[in-house]
């Protein structure tokens, strides 16, 4: 099923979940499933709350709730950068259920290169040790899809944007996944997408942020959808981040009090 299909969320929410296996690379319980409803079927990921490990710096709510909240914010932007995601009951209790995305092989978004400056079409992230005392420049593509994702990550305060969380598809779209450590009230932005740090926001991004700001006010449509998923303080902090970006007019820069790049980066 195409992630842009409006029926995807209905299928995820109302379909019958069948567990097919476990995704062992995940740090918390993540199950590969199929979901069926009437004449539709799709692959999906089901992450039960019961399989979450407690995090001292995310004491409120659940990883599953924050994953769904990230989808709701993405949906509100109109960019649809997060696959359809719902909160529902499943074989192991309540959890998040997200449409499985098939990635396109060979879509290069990150690279390690020699030299101190990136080639045209790439943005520098920073130097990385590559063994035997050598360093290389870590770069990401100067791609408008990634730039939109960088804005979304700043809004939701994503503390773990790794390369493995970027899913380009054969039809030219890009999705981001794994949003369990988001929406903290403290600045915890940790990402590989620093290439535009300090650069002016695009006109498109400003327009999207203005829409988010209105939707996040008390009684706003997005604030109401987020209320069952994250705390009031987290919603207010999200609104404040949006307003701060509109005031500055630029992409955020690393704060210095928190590691700016996740480890491992991929």
């Amino acid at each position: 099923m195409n992630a842009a299909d409006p029926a995807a969320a209905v299928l995820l929410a109302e379909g019958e979940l069948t567990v097919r296996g476990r995704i062992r690379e995940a740090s918390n319980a993540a199950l590969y499933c199929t979901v069926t409803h009437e004449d539709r079927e799709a692959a999906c990921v089901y992450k039960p709350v019961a399989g979450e490990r407690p995090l001292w710096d995310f004491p409120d709510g659940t990883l599953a709730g924050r994953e769904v909240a990230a989808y709701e914010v993405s949906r509100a932007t109109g960019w649809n950068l997060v696959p359809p995601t719902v909160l529902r009951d499943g074989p192991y209790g309540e959890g998040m259920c997200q449409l499985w995305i098939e990635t396109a092989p060979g879509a290069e978004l990150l690279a390690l290169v020699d030299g101190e400056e990136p080639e045209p079409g790439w943005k520098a992230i920073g130097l990385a040790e590559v063994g035997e005392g050598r360093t290389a420049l870590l770069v990401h593509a100067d791609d408008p899809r990634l730039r939109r994702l960088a804005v979304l990550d700043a809004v939701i305060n994503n503390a773990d944007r790794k390369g493995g969380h970027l899913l380009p598809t054969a039809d030219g779209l890009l999705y981001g996944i794994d949003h369990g450590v988001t929406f903290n009230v403290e600045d915890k932005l940790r990402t590989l997408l620093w290439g535009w740090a300090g650069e002016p926001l695009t006109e498109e991004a400003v327009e999207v942020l203005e829409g988010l700001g209105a939707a996040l006010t008390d009684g706003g449509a997005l604030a109401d959808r987020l209320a069952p998923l994250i705390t009031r303080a987290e919603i207010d902090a999200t609104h404040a981040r949006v307003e701060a970006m509109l005031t500055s007019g630029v992409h955020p820069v690393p704060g210095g009090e928190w590691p700016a790049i996740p480890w491992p980066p991929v």
Side-chain angles (χ1 to χ4, degrees):
M1 171 174 281
N2 190 303
D5 189 335
V10 176
L11 174 61
L12 292 171
E14 300 181 6
E16 180 180 355
L17 275 178
T18 302
V19 177
R20 303 297 184 184
R22 181 168 183 174
I23 303 171
R24 298 198 175 277
E25 295 84 1
S27 56
N28 293 277
L31 305 174
Y32 178 77
C33 302
T34 53
V35 59
T36 56
H37 182 62
E38 297 177 346
D39 61 343
R40 292 178 177 269
E41 179 176 294
C44 61
V45 177
Y46 162 53
K47 297 181 181 179
V49 172
E52 296 180 3
R53 298 177 182 176
L55 298 173
W56 67 267
D57 52 344
F58 286 83
D60 300 310
T62 64
L63 303 183
R66 288 189 284 272
E67 294 246 30
V68 180
Y71 165 67
E72 291 293 350
V73 175
S74 168
R75 188 161 69 96
T77 67
W79 290 335
N80 297 318
L81 294 167
V82 178
T85 313
V86 302
L87 194 66
R88 58 160 294 169
D89 195 29
Y92 299 101
E94 186 179 62
M96 83 84 163
C97 187
Q98 184 176 82
L99 191 69
W100 182 267
I101 300 297
E102 293 292 343
T103 59
E108 193 173 19
L109 298 173
L110 299 166
L112 283 168
V113 298
D114 293 326
E116 297 181 356
E117 297 293 334
E119 295 292 329
W122 294 88
K123 289 284 191 177
I125 304 169
L127 293 173
E129 294 184 8
V130 293
E132 298 180 357
R134 293 182 57 248
T135 60
L137 185 65
L138 181 61
V139 297
H140 66 67
D142 188 1
D143 186 313
R145 302 171 302 171
L146 287 180
R147 190 166 191 172
R148 288 174 170 178
L149 193 58
V151 172
L152 176 66
D153 282 343
V155 170
I156 65 176
N157 199 14
N158 192 349
D160 194 32
R161 174 61 73 206
K162 296 177 180 177
H165 301 164
L166 305 173
L167 305 183
T169 65
D171 54 1
L173 300 177
L174 176 71
Y175 295 96
I177 60 169
D178 285 350
H179 298 106
V181 286
T182 49
F183 295 101
N184 203 297
V185 296
E186 298 179 6
D187 179 15
K188 290 186 180 290
L189 183 59
R190 189 166 60 165
T191 175
L192 287 178
L193 305 181
W194 286 116
W196 297 281
E199 292 188 14
L201 296 166
T202 65
E203 291 184 9
E204 176 194 47
V206 170
E207 183 177 347
V208 165
L209 289 169
E210 288 174 343
L212 287 180
L216 284 165
T217 56
D218 286 344
L222 180 55
D224 287 348
R225 292 201 299 272
L226 295 179
L229 303 169
I230 58 177
T231 67
R232 181 71 248 179
E234 289 167 335
I235 295 172
D236 290 343
T238 303
H239 190 200
R241 287 191 295 272
V242 169
E243 294 302 320
M245 290 176 69
L246 286 170
T247 299
S248 71
V250 300
H251 286 264
V253 298
E257 297 181 3
W258 182 257
I261 297 175
W263 187 262
V266 178

